Amino acid sequence: MKLIRTKIHGLYLIKPKLFEDKRGIFRRNFCEKTFKKNNILFKIRQCNVSENFKRGTLRGFHYQRRTTKDSKIITCIRGSILNVTIDLRKGSKTYLKVIRTKLSSKNRKSLIIPSKCANAFLTLEQNTIIQYYMSEFFNKNNDGGIRYDDKYFKIKWPFKPTVVSKKDATYKDFIKR
């Protein structure tokens, strides 16, 4: 696996090394040794799967407010998504930077999303499945979010989302502090 730096500090694209034979393809999606070699400390606390039946399903922007250990690794197992990450770390050189990344079952890439970054994705195909490795347990009391169409960030989605939860659609406006 190869870790590729992005324009947001600590956000890496994981490009897997594929091992292919007559049985199919094998790839490593997580390797503690590779992460440590790149000064990424990531202990898996939870693994979640998001099944999205319809094209145009939007989830996010989500983040945990009062913790510094809520990193995640996101992989598209089936279908494809446009993933968008916003750096909310006030001390970061990349504070408020936005990165858009296409993840799909075809490109087999993953993202390491650092703590204190808000993340959202839009499904580009029906029956899209996402897998998350989480470095911290979900804490409902720390649950934070930014509306997917917040005017401050002006995110350009490839098309208008058609399935959005009430919670995701009603987050308050982002205010730079």
Side-chain angles (χ1 to χ4, degrees):
M1 77 187 334
K2 182 177 179 180
L3 300 180
I4 301 165
R5 293 178 192 269
T6 69
K7 291 180 182 177
I8 290 181
H9 177 71
L11 178 74
Y12 291 88
L13 187 64
I14 300 172
K15 185 176 179 188
K17 183 175 180 182
L18 304 179
F19 299 93
E20 193 169 357
D21 63 22
K22 65 183 178 183
R23 298 169 294 173
I25 295 174
F26 174 87
R27 71 183 194 248
R28 181 166 292 134
N29 204 35
F30 176 83
C31 180
E32 187 176 10
K33 286 181 185 178
T34 301
F35 281 32
K36 278 186 178 178
K37 197 184 309 181
N38 287 276
N39 295 317
I40 300 168
L41 302 175
F42 194 101
K43 185 172 184 174
I44 297 172
R45 300 280 188 191
Q46 247 177 251
C47 188
N48 304 320
V49 174
S50 170
E51 297 183 43
N52 305 276
F53 305 123
K54 298 192 184 261
R55 177 184 186 266
T57 299
L58 190 130
R59 294 183 186 253
F61 286 93
H62 301 150
Y63 64 97
Q64 292 281 286
R65 290 178 299 188
R66 292 180 293 271
T67 182
T68 57
K69 299 178 183 180
D70 64 322
S71 301
K72 60 184 90 127
I73 300 170
I74 182 170
T75 304
C76 185
I77 302 298
R78 183 191 319 162
S80 60
I81 62 171
L82 176 65
N83 192 87
V84 181
T85 306
I86 303 170
D87 187 350
L88 297 179
R89 300 168 295 175
K90 290 183 182 168
S92 171
K93 295 176 194 170
T94 56
Y95 179 58
L96 300 181
K97 266 211 184 301
V98 176
I99 295 283
R100 297 164 35 113
T101 310
K102 184 176 180 184
L103 299 177
S104 71
S105 54
K106 289 182 182 166
N107 72 19
R108 297 180 174 94
K109 294 177 182 174
S110 301
L111 280 175
I112 303 171
I113 301 165
S115 179
K116 295 292 188 200
C117 287
N119 198 71
F121 67 80
L122 177 69
T123 60
L124 304 176
E125 299 179 44
Q126 290 190 178
N127 299 312
T128 295
I129 299 176
I130 308 302
Q131 181 180 39
Y132 299 84
Y133 293 116
M134 309 296 291
S135 67
E136 191 54 70
F137 299 108
F138 176 75
N139 181 337
K140 189 175 182 176
N141 297 325
N142 285 337
D143 196 19
I146 297 170
R147 208 174 47 257
Y148 72 95
D149 61 352
D150 190 288
K151 289 176 178 63
Y152 184 87
F153 293 103
K154 299 178 185 141
I155 305 298
K156 290 186 171 103
W157 299 102
F159 51 86
K160 185 177 168 92
T162 54
V163 181
V164 182
S165 73
K166 183 178 179 181
K167 178 177 122 180
D168 289 352
T170 58
Y171 282 123
K172 293 179 181 174
D173 286 340
F174 178 80
I175 299 170
K176 185 177 174 182
R177 291 175 181 84

